[in-house]
């Protein structure tokens, strides 16, 4: 079992106090932030998802684990900063219509911000019209969409279509992600890029805009 077993178990149980203390002591012990995230927090959320699929836990428990993870992420956030850098580009990001999952989207936003991107976060349950309206207002370089449910993924092509109709599509790069989203899906719906995790989201965003 991983060195972050106690942390992962606390997140699965939704024990905020223990999880926060474990995250802090892992940081104090010099553990890598990426390892704490991958082996502790994200591994725990995968376990939570498994338990939910098997009918062992229900939505309130998932919610409690999500809250626990968010509290731990607050401690990790300062470490995502790559240094004082001028803005690498503007990213408008949100979770698509009908979808309330925001942990992954927040993580992507945090890491991108840490890497020097300016983030405008539309939150969750964002309809295509809202992406369009905000894109017209803030003129981002990238529009990022997150979906965690197979039922909400179709809102991604709908948003791309809406950007196209509004004449905005040509001015922005579209990046998508979320557990059920794939590279193939990104190609199908003509998104410019897909990333499976927050780390690669940062490098793909840099690639898209040709910045280092
Ligand atoms: C926590 C959770 C919840 C919480 C969400 C709280 C919150 N504030 O986010 C609550 C309790 C609200 C919830 C509700 C529901 N959930 Co839920 N949930 C989860 C769970 C356990 C964890 C998700 C998570 O946070 N993962 C950790 C993060 C870090 O990972 P991530 O989101 O994948 O993000 C990473 C990448 O995908 C990527 N990424 C994400 N977004 C983006 C965006 C861009 C632009 C890019 C480039 C990359 C990128 O980078 C991220 C960081 O590395 C998952 C199980 C799972 N393993 O995914 C189920 C899961 C997603 N939920 C599920 C379901 C069914 C539901 C409900 C329908 C349950 C119900 N009957 O009510 C509702 C739907 C509510 C709604 N309308 O959205 C199913 C979805 C099945 C499917 N494929 O459609 C899952 C897979 C559980 C399961 N195994 O059945 N859920």
């Amino acid at each position: 079992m991983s060195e972050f077993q106690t942390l992962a178990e606390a997140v699965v149980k939704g024990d905020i106090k223990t999880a926060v203390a474990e995250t802090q002591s892992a940081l104090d012990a010099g553990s890598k932030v990426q390892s704490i995230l991958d082996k502790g927090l994200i591994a725990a959320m995968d376990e939570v998802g498994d338990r939910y699929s098997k009918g062992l836990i229900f939505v309130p428990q998932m919610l409690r684990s999500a809250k626990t993870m968010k509290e731990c992420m607050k401690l990790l956030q300062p470490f995502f900063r790559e240094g004082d850098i001028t803005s690498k580009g503007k990213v408008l990001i949100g979770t698509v219509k009908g979808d309330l999952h925001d942990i992954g989207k927040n993580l992507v936003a945090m890491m991108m911000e840490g890497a020097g991107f300016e983030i405008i976060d539309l939150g969750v349950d964002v309809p295509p019209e809202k992406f369009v309206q905000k894109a017209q207002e803030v003129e981002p370089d990238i529009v990022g969409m997150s979906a965690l449910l197979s039922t909400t993924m179709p809102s991604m092509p709908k948003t791309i279509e809406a950007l196209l109709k509004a004449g905005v599509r040509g001015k922005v790069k579209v990046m998508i992600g979320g557990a059920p989203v794939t590279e193939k899906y990104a190609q199908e719906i003509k998104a410019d890029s897909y990333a499976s995790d927050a780390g690669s989201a940062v490098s793909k965003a840099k690639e898209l805009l040709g910045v280092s």
Side-chain angles (χ1 to χ4, degrees), residues 46 49 52-53 62 98 100-104 146 149-150 178-179 196-198:
D46 285 343
Y52 174 79
S53 297
M62 271 209 284
L100 303 177
H101 296 85
D102 68 354
I103 296 177
S146 179
L149 299 171
S150 33
S196 61
D197 59 72

Side-chain angles (χ1 to χ4, degrees), residues 37-60:
L37 249 181
D38 291 342
K39 298 183 195 160
L41 304 178
I42 294 180
M45 293 314 271
D46 285 343
E47 174 64 24
V48 170
D50 269 3
R51 291 190 185 189
Y52 174 79
S53 297
K54 290 179 184 145
L56 298 172
I57 60 163
F58 301 96
V59 171

Side-chain angles (χ1 to χ4, degrees), residues 14 134-135 154 202-203:
K134 202 66 183 178
V202 170
S203 45

Side-chain angles (χ1 to χ4, degrees), residues 157-190:
K158 282 186 192 148
T159 304
I160 293 179
E161 184 63 30
L163 289 168
L164 193 68
K165 276 201 184 127
V168 182
R169 179 67 184 96
K171 299 176 196 158
V172 298
K173 300 287 184 193
V174 174
M175 252 186 121
I176 61 170
V181 178
T182 60
E183 182 81 60
K184 188 166 168 275
Y185 186 69
Q187 284 167 8
E188 268 168 37
I189 68 167
K190 298 191 171 60

